[in-house]
Amino acid sequence: MANSWIGSVFHCVPLHSSPAGLRDGRSHSDLPVKLSAGEQLVRLPLCLGIEDQLDTIIRRAVDALH
């Protein structure tokens, strides 16, 4: 949400494609659905004291999806 001044973080790496997963894991396919989901997930801010801003955060997140 680059233009809304809401800090969102993209950092979801599916376990099978993480360094440890590549080193130690075993999968029988490329798991394309899991990779796609990992590329689309965003973590929104969640912390104490943000309660009065939740409506704005939610509205702007929904607006960004349209």
Side-chain angles (χ1 to χ4, degrees), residues 1 4 6 44-45 49-63:
M1 296 191 304
S4 62
I6 296 172
L44 295 174
I50 202 170
E51 296 85 1
D52 61 334
Q53 299 173 348
L54 288 178
D55 288 337
T56 300
I57 292 169
I58 293 167
R59 185 178 66 252
R60 289 185 179 173
V62 170
D63 289 347

Side-chain angles (χ1 to χ4, degrees), residues 1-63:
M1 296 191 304
N3 295 327
S4 62
W5 296 98
I6 296 172
S8 58
V9 181
F10 171 81
H11 68 91
C12 183
V13 177
L15 182 57
H16 75 285
S17 60
S18 70
L22 292 171
R23 184 184 65 238
D24 301 326
R26 294 171 201 83
S27 64
H28 299 286
S29 73
D30 292 335
L31 304 171
V33 173
K34 194 175 242 187
L35 288 173
S36 177
E39 293 171 354
Q40 298 176 51
L41 292 174
V42 176
R43 186 179 70 174
L44 295 174
L46 178 63
C47 56
L48 291 174
I50 202 170
E51 296 85 1
D52 61 334
Q53 299 173 348
L54 288 178
D55 288 337
T56 300
I57 292 169
I58 293 167
R59 185 178 66 252
R60 289 185 179 173
V62 170
D63 289 347

